[in-house]
């Protein structure tokens, strides 16, 4: 029996969860050479966590046999049933009702349950618009009782807002958040305070680097596991090993002051953020468990002096750039391999180019009903120039996305523009002009900020005009032009 506090608990939608989740991503690392863990023996290891109060488990479709192991535990009789949170990370493509149901059914079958406690959705490229279709289909399956709650993983603030303002009933967003990667304390935390959607923080211990073992340690020459390979890239991004040691030394000083571990302080700092529902601590089943140490964080309170010590260390490092999830969508990728090769062969484009009426020109159609009614293309390339038609936040043929939120509409419309440009061989960096038409001057800040998050470093020429109205009741419409440089 532990002589330390049991994990504190919190509400997440209809679920009562531990504030420290047991993450099973290391199952995939342990099985990467082809040998699978014995599911019943591994379930015994999970049962020990559950008995100690760590009864909320986090896994994914690609975490090796993690779902099967959790299913063995769930099949056992228990006074209080553990919770199994999983993720569905499909390849980009059409997200029909049949495709989404099949993805969820696979999770149900592997877990051996009739309802997934929390289904978290990941999408690789927001330029492919089917992500929003998938979330609405998941919402339908939630209504049918196949899912208790829906979350997302690695969503930035802009696209989480699109989903919420489009009516998707999300309760959580799982993102990287640690003393090293503090991006989630910005726009995502602000959105959490506005909407109530909570964050799950993974990478809290930076793959194990945020521990006493690495204080004043020499820079490791070789790294053996995927988790450390990934988070070493984060460390390099903030300034390298020497910069990282500033954070470790500060954290160690706070830990010594309270008689706890570096890992306790690192986890407590993240959990103290009001947007965070829970942190996620990885488990190497059958190899090592740190339940007693992890439980001590629930008897730890950081004071202003502790936080000031950590802030002083942060000032000696660089911020990880961008927003959460960019590490999977924007080079340089902060993944174990430095690219997406161990996740996807390639990310398919949302649209295909086809010959235009003008000889040598190409065009892109995106399925809007008005493209056929009015006879225009979403974009057309003539030589090295690409012209993008006025684009609104329209899903499929005619559905208005996020009808009451101008910023969310801007994000969705810009994704459509970038997808059309990509199909014609252009990049965001090739955009030389945008024109933005809005209907309400009070929306200018939200629209401009969404535009700036895409083009802030590119800075094309731009015109923004307030007009009397837009057909269909949209709040914003955007045009773009690009010039593709010679190879």
């Amino acid at each position: 029996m532990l002589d330390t506090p049991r994990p504190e608990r919190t509400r997440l939608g209809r679920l009562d969860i531990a504030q420290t989740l047991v993450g099973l991503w290391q199952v995939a690392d342990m099985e990467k050479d082809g040998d699978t863990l014995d599911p019943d023996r591994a379930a015994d290891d999970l049962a020990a966590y559950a008995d100690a109060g760590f009864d909320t488990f986090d896994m994914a479709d690609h975490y090796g046999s993690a779902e099967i192991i959790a299913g063995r535990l769930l099949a056992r009789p228990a006074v209080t049933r553990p919770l199994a949170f999983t993720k569905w990370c499909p390849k980009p493509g059409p997200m029909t009702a049949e495709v989404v149901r099949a993805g969820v059914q696979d999770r149900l079958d592997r877990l051996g349950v009739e309802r997934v406690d929390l289904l978290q959705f990941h999408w690789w490229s927001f330029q492919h618009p089917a992500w929003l279709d998938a979330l609405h289909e998941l919402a339908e399956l939630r209504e049918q009782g196949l899912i208790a709650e829906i979350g997302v993983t690695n969503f930035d603030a802009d696209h989480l807002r699109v989903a919420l303002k489009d009516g998707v009933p999300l309760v959580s967003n799982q993102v990287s958040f640690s003393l090293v990667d503090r991006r989630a304390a910005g726009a995502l935390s602000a959105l959490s305070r506005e909407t109530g959607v909570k964050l799950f923080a993974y990478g809290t211990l930076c793959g194990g680097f945020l521990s006493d073992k690495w204080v004043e340690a020499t820079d490791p020459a070789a790294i053996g596991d995927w988790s450390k390979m990934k988070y070493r890239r984060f460390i390099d991004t903030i300034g390298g090993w020497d910069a990282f040691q500033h954070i470790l030394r500060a954290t160690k000083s706070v830990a010594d002051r309270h008689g706890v571990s570096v890992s306790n302080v690192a986890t407590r700092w993240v959990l103290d953020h009001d947007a965070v529902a829970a942190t996620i601590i990885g488990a190497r089943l059958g190899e090592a468990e740190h339940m007693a140490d992890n439980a001590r964080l629930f008897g730890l309170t950081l004071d202003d002096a502790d936080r000031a010590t950590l802030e002083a260390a942060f000032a000696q490092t660089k911020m990880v750039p961008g927003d959460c999830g960019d590490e999977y969508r924007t080079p340089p990728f902060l993944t174990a391999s430095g690219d997406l090769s161990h996740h996807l062969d390639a990310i398919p484009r949302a649209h295909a180019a086809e010959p235009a009426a003008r000889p040598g020109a190409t065009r892109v159609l995106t399925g809007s009903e008005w493209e056929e009614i009015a006879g225009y293309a979403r974009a057309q390339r003539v030589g090295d120039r690409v012209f993008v038609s006025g684009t609104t936040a329209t899903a499929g043929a005619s559905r208005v996305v996020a009808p009451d939120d101008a910023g969310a509409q801007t994000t969705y419309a810009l994704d459509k523009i970038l997808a059309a440009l990509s199909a014609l061989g252009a990049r965001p960096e090739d955009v030389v002009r945008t024109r933005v038409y809005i209907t309400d001057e009070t929306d200018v800040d939200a629209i401009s900020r969404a535009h700036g998050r895409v083009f802030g470093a590119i800075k094309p020429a731009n015109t923004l005009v307030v007009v009397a109205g837009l057909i269909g009741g949209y709040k914003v419409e955007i045009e773009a032009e690009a010039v593709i440089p010679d190879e």
Side-chain angles (χ1 to χ4, degrees), residues 69-149:
I69 293 168
R72 294 295 177 91
L73 176 64
L74 296 178
R76 299 177 181 180
V79 175
T80 302
R81 177 185 174 280
L83 294 173
F85 297 171
T86 193
K87 307 178 195 73
W88 182 44
C89 310
K91 295 181 179 180
M95 290 287 112
T96 64
E98 293 74 21
V99 168
V100 176
R101 179 176 283 271
V104 173
Q105 189 62 53
D106 195 34
R107 312 280 66 72
L108 294 169
D109 293 343
R110 283 168 61 88
L111 288 167
V113 296
E114 295 182 353
R115 185 176 72 173
V116 177
D117 295 321
L118 176 71
L119 196 290
Q120 302 164 90
F121 177 73
H122 172 84
W123 194 248
W124 297 102
S125 173
F126 293 120
Q127 291 182 25
H128 198 301
W131 67 273
L132 198 52
D133 300 332
L135 285 177
H136 281 290
E137 292 297 340
L138 291 174
E140 176 60 28
L141 296 180
R142 177 180 179 273
E143 289 298 311
Q144 295 176 23
L146 298 183
I147 302 168
E149 297 291 358

Side-chain angles (χ1 to χ4, degrees), residues 410-465:
T410 303
T411 295
Y412 194 86
L414 289 174
D415 285 340
K416 290 184 67 174
I417 288 171
L418 296 179
L421 290 170
S422 177
L424 293 171
R427 307 166 302 160
E429 294 83 357
D430 299 327
V431 174
V432 296
R433 171 175 283 281
T434 59
R435 296 181 181 88
V436 182
Y437 306 93
I438 71 175
T439 60
D440 188 340
E441 187 174 347
T442 62
D443 290 331
V444 69
D445 184 70
I447 291 169
S448 297
R449 291 185 183 279
H451 184 278
R453 281 188 283 272
V454 174
F455 293 114
I458 302 165
K459 289 184 170 55
N462 169 259
T463 302
L464 185 147
V465 180

Side-chain angles (χ1 to χ4, degrees), residues 37-56:
L37 299 177
D38 179 273
D40 291 306
R41 187 174 302 170
D44 291 339
D45 295 325
L46 293 188
Y49 277 96
D51 289 343
F54 296 92
D55 62 355
T56 309

Side-chain angles (χ1 to χ4, degrees), residues 12 17 19 21 120 152 155 160 171-177 183-192 196-202 270-271 273-280 324:
L12 186 76
I17 71 171
Q19 284 193 297
L21 312 186
Q120 302 164 90
V152 291
F155 268 50
L160 180 58
V171 297
S172 65
N173 181 21
Q174 184 173 149
V175 294
S176 172
F177 197 1
R183 294 173 296 172
L188 273 176
S189 287
L191 185 60
S192 173
V197 172
K198 292 296 185 179
L199 303 180
F200 290 154
Y202 72 82
V270 172
L271 198 53
H273 287 78
D274 60 358
V276 175
T279 58
I280 307 173
C324 294

